[in-house]
Amino acid sequence: MKEALSSVDIAVIVEELQDLLGAKVEKVYQREREIILRLHAHLEGKRLEAYGSSVDLVLEAGRRIHLTKYRMEMPRTPTSFAMLLRKHLKGGRIRSIKQRDFDRIVEICVERADGRRTLVLELLPRGNLLLLDENGRILQPLKRETFTTRTLLPGKLYEAPPSKLNPLTATQEDLRNLFIAAKEEAEHRGKRGKSREVVKVLATETGLGGLYAEEVCLRAGVDKKKSAEMLSDEEIEAIYDAIREIFQPIIEEDMSKIKPHIVFEANKEGKEAEESEERRGCVAVQVLPFELRRFEGCEKEYFQTFNDAVDEFFMRQTEECSQFSFESEIEKIERILRGQESALLKFKQEEEECIRKAELIYTRFKEIEDALRKHAEELRKKGVKKREISLTLNDEGDVLELKLDPTRSLHENAARYYERAKALRKKREGVEKALTATRAKLEAERERVAAAEAEAKEAEKAKARVLRKKVVRDKKWYERFRWFFTSSGFLVVGGRDATSNEILVKRHMANEDIFFHTQAEGAPAVILKTEGRPVPDADLEEAAQFAASYSSLWKLGFYSGECYCVSATQVSKTPPSGEYLRKGSFVVRGKRRYFKVELALCVGIAEEKENRRECEEESERGESGKREREEREEREERESEGEGESEKKRRLRLVVCPVLALKHGVKLKYWVEVQPGDTRKEEIARAIRKILLEQAEKHGEREEIEEELSLDKLMQVLPGHLNLTYIHTNAC
């Protein structure tokens, strides 16, 4: 089974990770040997777009590097190394990700205003992760190490291991020289030297590794055990052609030709796979970027990208190792327990036997004394000096062997047996104490395993905690901003800050749209997308309330305020002569329409189809769309009769809209209403999360919305200090 990525695997991974160039480092975590970089990346239209905008890059020294779709539980307290990485990398942009000389070393360059830093991930057997400064000096290694050729300590200039021949750029002449060098090395060793096999030369001197070296020999038609110095020019040419054939996608940098997959083989240990019926009795043994002849006929699972395949492969290993670690710990304790029980029985039997022998000496004192004297006389005649004499006696049908010292009296020999029994009794008592402790430890370990298994089942059921796969939705452009759909299906979008205000107006506002703003400084730019259709007054009021609620009026504690709207053509970035417009500011010219609105918002859960897809359809068809929707809903209800709950496809999501939108017909399943107040936003966010999760639990929907109701998301959608004023708890 593969334990670490090879140089070939790394080359493909690094090529795919070029999609991350420009990504921003938001957080750094450390889980034992794993370093996780949480990045914010723009992957739309790229190979890795399925990972979404917030991605986790896993770096494990000596083993792997890849993006993951799994959510891993991060430690609450960061390690000192993680803190150091945050200090130097947080807020920086990834400028380059490259492999060093086709070796198992990846360099990630991160740039910030205060300079560049480089993360060097060594995936060599001993493995390490180092942070370098602009001059290539080591700021901090994950592990401090000293080798004969280099030193990995803070303040030292980083030196990579000696590079090997790159097989992807090597010519036939380079390969010939490589094999000639192997021949000269064999001759240098002389008759006692052992010639090197072709497969070993390719695996060690080019960095291909054993698996790919064997595949090269197989496709070249060369015996892998053949001595390197015995290769002919034709065989060297065949090896060169085989390398070019196998690694063509990497050489040509054409990732469309790769076929990422996991290889499954029969599990010799008889453990059953849990993935599917087709793979019962099989285990994942390899993850590869392209197909190899060696695994022809094996069960395979294909993926869109090599990152996907590597992520799935190693996460399966993590789950299996976690389960194995529980089992092996119990087995270890049980083995210790069996040894202690065996020792206890042995000590007890030996103690009883010693006491029995000592008592036998006194019971048959005269007989044993005569026998001992007789044996001693015989030995003296023969001139043999012996410190111990064995006497075999029959005691109630049992044969006992007494070992006596002829230089001592029988009383002293009996005392020796009593002393031996006393020593054995102390050992037995010590083993009994240890046995009690081991049994308690075993019981505690079994309880821990049972609790871990229960937690794992609960986590799998709730799709939460460790190793939970992210559900990556196709995001719409407006989800980068604050938004909602009005009661008539019009999309309303508002900026979050000066930068998003600028982007929203410049890129997404059409001439037929309506622009909303307040007179108060610090208000968001809000646009209502009309798509050329007339907008009812009720929808204008909803948009006005939305714009006013996210303005500085809320932070100042006002319960109502004025908001105006104008046509998009009245909004300009051109200031009057001699004046200057700050970022996110605009000039509004012409007549304005004002609205006096209450500052109030609803935060709740809604089905996505009611609040996004169907509303978009309505915005295209107007009032007729509403009638069609109602007819379709009735038809779907009739068709869905008799279907199980699992067959109904829906998606629940967090929605924030003005109170007027609910009064005019927007549907939410359950929600809370908030107004300006004096309670901190974080406290209200926690209260809202608790309330909505309790309601979701009552309706069997908790696991669907638990991630959607994260504290971070709630903090993003809420305005400043506020109060809860109303809680709606009945699903619509």
Side-chain angles (χ1 to χ4, degrees), residues 583-647:
K583 185 177 182 180
S585 300
F586 309 93
V587 174
V588 178
R589 298 182 174 90
K591 188 177 179 181
R592 308 179 184 186
R593 180 177 176 182
Y594 282 87
F595 298 88
K596 182 75 171 180
V597 291
E598 178 189 10
L599 272 58
L601 293 172
C602 287
V603 183
I605 297 299
E607 290 188 358
E608 187 179 42
K609 65 178 184 177
E610 293 177 357
N611 288 275
R612 189 178 71 179
R613 178 174 58 80
E614 293 189 359
C615 290
E616 287 175 348
E617 292 172 356
E618 287 179 11
S619 67
E620 296 173 0
R621 296 192 297 267
E623 293 298 322
S624 62
K626 290 185 180 181
R627 291 192 297 272
E628 290 182 18
R629 186 190 68 176
E630 292 171 358
E631 293 173 0
R632 184 172 65 253
E633 285 179 348
E634 293 177 2
R635 185 170 61 254
E636 287 177 354
E637 285 181 9
R638 290 194 300 270
E639 291 175 354
S640 63
E641 287 181 1
E643 292 183 357
E645 188 67 26
S646 61
E647 298 178 7

Side-chain angles (χ1 to χ4, degrees), residues 434-574:
L435 193 61
T436 302
T438 304
R439 284 171 176 161
K441 186 177 179 181
L442 179 61
E443 187 63 29
E445 184 65 19
R446 283 173 174 166
E447 290 177 359
R448 185 176 74 86
V449 172
E453 289 175 349
E455 183 180 342
K457 289 179 181 178
E458 183 65 25
E460 185 180 355
K461 181 181 177 182
K463 298 179 181 178
R465 302 188 188 283
V466 184
L467 298 176
R468 181 184 61 191
K469 211 165 195 175
K470 291 193 291 185
V471 179
V472 181
R473 291 189 304 106
D474 294 331
K475 287 192 174 182
K476 298 296 184 181
W477 67 267
Y478 51 78
E479 294 186 41
R480 296 171 55 192
F481 309 95
R482 293 189 173 107
W483 61 273
F484 80 99
F485 282 98
T486 68
S487 53
S488 298
F490 291 97
L491 173 63
V492 177
V493 189
R496 294 181 181 274
D497 49 32
T499 301
S500 57
N501 282 347
E502 196 90 12
I503 294 171
L504 181 62
V505 172
K506 283 186 175 181
R507 297 184 186 177
H508 301 290
M509 188 169 70
N511 288 337
E512 64 269 19
D513 294 340
I514 300 175
F515 178 86
F516 289 82
H517 206 263
T518 67
Q519 291 294 124
E521 190 175 344
V526 176
I527 61 174
L528 187 151
K529 304 292 291 181
T530 68
E531 298 181 349
R533 297 184 290 113
V535 182
D537 287 346
D539 295 66
L540 295 176
E541 291 176 357
E542 294 167 18
Q545 188 179 45
F546 186 75
S549 295
Y550 280 109
S551 72
S552 58
L553 295 172
W554 186 292
K555 296 178 183 178
L556 294 172
F558 290 93
Y559 286 88
S560 64
E562 283 190 344
C563 178
Y564 67 84
C565 71
V566 296
S567 169
T569 56
Q570 296 176 242
V571 182
S572 172
K573 279 292 292 181
T574 305

Side-chain angles (χ1 to χ4, degrees), residues 238-446:
I239 290 174
Y240 173 79
D241 292 338
I243 292 174
R244 305 292 295 183
E245 176 192 351
I246 296 170
F247 307 118
Q248 183 185 11
I250 305 176
I251 296 170
E252 297 179 356
E253 296 182 357
D254 186 1
M255 293 297 105
S256 64
K257 295 181 179 179
I258 68 171
K259 293 183 178 180
H261 61 281
I262 294 175
V263 179
F264 295 86
E265 285 186 348
N267 191 344
K268 296 178 182 179
E269 297 181 4
K271 296 178 182 178
E272 291 188 347
E274 299 178 358
E275 299 301 321
S276 62
E277 287 294 330
E278 297 84 29
R279 298 197 184 97
R280 286 202 177 275
C282 294
V283 64
V285 294
Q286 278 290 347
V287 56
L288 301 168
F290 22 71
E291 294 180 313
L292 301 183
R293 290 182 184 175
R294 175 178 173 177
F295 297 111
E296 286 181 353
C298 293
E299 182 72 27
K300 300 181 180 72
E301 181 180 353
Y302 292 88
F303 296 83
Q304 286 291 110
T305 66
F306 192 46
N307 257 284
D308 293 343
V310 172
D311 181 29
E312 192 67 27
F313 180 81
F314 281 106
M315 285 305 176
R316 287 181 184 182
Q317 276 193 1
T318 302
E319 288 178 319
E320 290 170 4
C321 290
S322 176
Q323 183 178 1
F324 176 75
S325 65
F326 288 143
E327 294 173 353
S328 60
E329 185 65 22
I330 289 178
E331 289 173 358
K332 179 181 176 181
I333 297 173
E334 287 177 339
R335 177 172 51 79
I336 294 172
L337 186 65
R338 287 194 296 271
Q340 291 173 341
E341 289 174 341
S342 176
L344 180 65
L345 180 62
K346 178 183 176 182
F347 291 150
K348 188 175 181 180
Q349 289 175 344
E350 288 182 1
E351 179 190 356
E352 291 174 351
E353 187 176 337
C354 286
I355 294 173
R356 187 176 176 185
K357 287 179 179 179
E359 291 175 347
L360 184 64
I361 290 174
Y362 285 111
T363 303
R364 301 171 66 174
F365 191 90
K366 181 64 176 173
E367 178 186 350
I368 295 173
E369 187 179 35
D370 293 342
L372 182 61
R373 188 182 299 111
K374 182 179 178 181
H375 274 282
E377 186 66 27
E378 290 177 356
L379 291 174
R380 193 165 41 252
K381 288 180 180 179
K382 293 178 181 178
V384 178
K385 293 183 179 180
K386 202 170 183 181
R387 296 285 298 175
E388 191 174 80
I389 294 175
S390 295
L391 293 179
T392 304
L393 300 175
N394 193 314
D395 181 43
E396 298 179 359
D398 294 333
V399 177
L400 292 178
E401 183 182 12
L402 294 178
K403 292 184 178 181
L404 305 173
D405 185 351
T407 62
R408 296 186 179 187
S409 66
L410 279 184
H411 294 289
E412 291 174 328
N413 278 289
R416 285 177 58 200
Y417 276 112
Y418 280 125
E419 288 172 2
R420 174 64 178 163
K422 185 178 179 180
L424 288 169
R425 183 170 65 253
K426 289 182 178 180
K427 287 185 178 181
R428 174 174 58 81
E429 290 171 352
V431 172
E432 286 175 345
K433 290 180 181 179
L435 193 61
T436 302
T438 304
R439 284 171 176 161
K441 186 177 179 181
L442 179 61
E443 187 63 29
E445 184 65 19
R446 283 173 174 166

